[in-house]
């Protein structure tokens, strides 16, 4: 028994913590909304993070496998693999009643949610936990937020990076001490709600390797005009302070979570999603702040705060209420 386990047995396990976890990793054909899962793995853990069992499957994406040099799965290997609808029931049995745990969970959840929507099945996931967010809560001294860095911190050895089963094993082994540290310090786990997709519109075009479809086509739902934000703009985001309802948020570049889902979460939290950057913009969210896009260029010229997606989704957990309940509609 480790020193950490000794300390944990001496304290009461937080009653509010989940009763079980499903540590998930998926490998995909790419990062866009029309990309598909090519393999998936699940490690089921009990309430204290101990492994109960594990499961792995290949998935035929019915298209080009994408970055073979990353996941190693060629068209020949995937040709005889089951389609996602054929493994959905097995996967659901392993996810049901558990918190989905993943490294950059927004991405794994968005890929799973879209696959379930295509299969016309509801994903049995209500909450997710991102180990990147948890490592930040624990203030782990990591050089970056890569899985290999988290694994190295806890002495977990990676054997086959970007193989779904091994990545899920590594994460499960790193999650257990993280969970015990959080319980010892009585931290609130960074749990986020998972809302299943209920509609899907098939793409008439087979995406090419490296091709990122525009956000205006092949969506999982029809595009629609968002209602006006009911809160006044409180001004710019300030570092080390929470987001506040009414803040104007613009997005630029690719995001790991589906852009519309990310914008929906922002709107549900009471933020105003802006389509452009102006002097009134509270912050810009981008994973590539050095890209010379019109939004990043304008943001820098206006000294608008810029946040990465992971930091923004972390802040979305606890948005401060607006100072005033209502205000005239804001335009983009």
């Amino acid at each position: 028994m480790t020193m950490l386990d000794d300390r944990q047995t001496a304290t009461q396990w937080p009653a509010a913590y989940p009763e079980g976890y499903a540590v998930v990793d998926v490998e995909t054909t790419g990062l866009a909304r029309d990309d598909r899962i090519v393999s998936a793995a699940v490690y089921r853990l009990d309430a204290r993070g101990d492994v109960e069992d594990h499961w792995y499957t290949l998935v035929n994406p019915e298209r080009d496998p994408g970055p073979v040099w990353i996941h190693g799965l060629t068209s020949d290997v995937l040709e005889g693999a089951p389609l996602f609808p054929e493994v959905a029931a097995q996967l659901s049995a392993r996810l049901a009643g558990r918190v989905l745990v993943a490294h950059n969970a927004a991405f794994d959840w968005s890929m799973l949610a879209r696959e379930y929507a295509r299969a016309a099945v509801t994903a049995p996931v209500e909450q997710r936990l991102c180990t990147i967010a948890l490592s930040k809560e624990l203030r782990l001294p990591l050089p970056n937020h890569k899985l290999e860095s988290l694994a190295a911190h806890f002495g977990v050895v990676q054997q086959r990076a970007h193989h779904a089963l091994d990545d899920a094993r590594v994460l499960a082994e790193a999650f257990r001490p993280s969970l015990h540290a959080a319980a010892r310090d009585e931290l609130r786990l960074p749990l986020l709600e998972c809302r299943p997709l209920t509609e899907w519109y098939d793409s008439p075009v087979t995406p090419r390797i490296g091709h990122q479809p525009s956000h205006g086509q092949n969506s999982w739902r029809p595009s629609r005009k968002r209602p006006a934000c009911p809160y006044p703009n409180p001004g710019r985001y300030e570092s080390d302070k929470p987001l506040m309802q009414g803040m104007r948020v613009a997005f630029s570049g690719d995001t790991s979570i589906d852009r519309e889902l990310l914008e929906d979460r922002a709107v549900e939290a009471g933020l105003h999603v802006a389509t452009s950057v102006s002097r009134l913009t509270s912050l810009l969210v981008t994973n590539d702040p050095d890209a010379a896009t019109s939004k990043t260029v304008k943001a820098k010229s206006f000294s608008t705060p810029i946040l990465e997606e992971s930091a923004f989704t972390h802040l979305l957990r606890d948005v401060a209420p607006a100072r005033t309940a209502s205000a005239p509609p804001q335009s983009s």
Side-chain angles (χ1 to χ4, degrees):
M1 183 177 291
T2 66
M3 185 180 298
L4 176 61
D5 291 330
D6 284 331
R7 289 197 299 266
Q8 189 55 60
T9 56
T11 61
Q12 184 176 4
W13 195 262
Y17 276 25
E19 296 182 358
Y21 305 88
V23 177
V24 173
D25 186 77
V26 298
E27 297 299 320
T28 68
T29 61
L31 304 178
R33 69 181 64 196
D34 278 338
D35 278 301
R36 307 296 300 272
I37 290 175
V38 294
S39 65
V42 180
Y43 266 74
R44 291 199 292 186
L45 312 181
D46 65 16
R48 291 177 176 259
D50 293 321
V51 176
E52 296 179 329
D53 57 30
H54 64 267
W55 174 84
Y56 170 75
T57 185
L58 296 176
V59 181
N60 186 340
E62 300 182 278
R63 53 151 290 179
D64 188 290
V68 174
W69 57 92
I70 295 178
H71 53 61
L73 300 174
T74 64
S75 295
D76 290 341
V77 171
L78 296 170
E79 183 177 1
L83 303 178
F84 186 84
E86 297 171 334
V87 301
Q90 298 177 57
L91 178 58
S92 293
R94 288 160 174 81
L95 298 177
R98 297 170 185 266
V99 170
L100 184 151
V101 178
H103 202 66
N104 191 6
F107 172 74
D108 293 81
W109 163 243
S110 65
M111 294 302 299
L112 285 170
R114 290 196 291 266
E115 289 288 6
Y116 270 103
R118 290 186 185 96
V121 178
T122 300
V125 180
E126 295 183 358
Q127 290 181 309
R128 66 178 183 270
L129 187 156
C130 180
T131 47
I132 295 177
L134 181 57
S135 67
K136 290 180 179 179
E137 292 281 354
L138 294 171
R139 301 184 182 277
L140 300 182
L142 305 179
N144 52 53
H145 298 303
K146 295 181 179 179
L147 176 58
E148 62 188 45
S149 297
L150 182 65
H153 177 78
F154 288 111
V156 180
V157 179
Q158 280 189 299
Q159 297 173 352
R160 298 180 63 185
H162 298 297
H163 185 283
L165 183 60
D166 195 59
D167 280 354
R169 174 193 63 81
V170 168
L171 189 58
E173 292 184 19
F175 175 65
R176 184 179 185 275
S178 298
L179 178 63
H180 279 247
R184 180 196 67 216
D185 297 339
E186 299 183 343
L187 293 178
R188 185 182 67 175
L189 296 179
L191 302 176
L192 289 176
E193 180 185 9
C194 289
R195 295 193 174 188
L197 309 184
T198 57
E199 299 179 35
W200 179 262
Y201 295 86
D202 287 324
S203 168
V205 180
T206 300
R208 303 184 300 277
I209 294 178
H211 174 63
Q212 301 291 319
S214 67
H215 292 290
Q217 64 179 358
N218 307 325
S219 175
W220 54 266
R221 64 183 174 190
S223 60
R224 78 276 188 239
K225 185 176 181 180
R226 299 182 186 279
C229 180
Y231 308 110
N233 184 357
R236 293 188 172 182
Y237 166 73
E238 296 181 38
S239 180
D240 298 326
K241 290 186 178 181
L243 297 172
M244 181 176 289
Q245 290 180 327
M247 282 187 172
R248 299 171 65 95
V249 182
F251 297 89
S252 178
D254 293 330
T255 51
S256 60
I257 186 173
D258 184 283
R259 174 67 69 82
E260 289 190 50
L261 286 176
L262 189 58
E263 292 179 351
D264 274 355
R265 286 184 54 200
V267 171
E268 289 166 3
L271 304 178
H272 170 70
V273 174
T275 57
S276 61
V277 173
S278 71
R279 295 183 185 278
L280 298 177
T281 305
S282 303
L283 74 155
L284 174 69
V285 177
T286 177
N287 289 323
D288 190 3
D290 295 324
T293 66
S294 60
K295 289 181 181 178
T296 55
V297 170
K298 284 185 178 179
K300 291 177 180 179
S301 69
F302 297 143
S303 297
T304 302
I306 297 176
L307 286 179
E308 291 188 354
E309 178 188 357
S310 60
F312 176 71
T313 55
H314 183 68
L315 288 169
L316 274 180
R317 294 189 302 107
D318 193 17
V319 177
R323 298 189 182 98
T324 306
S326 61
Q330 302 177 25
S331 61
S332 296

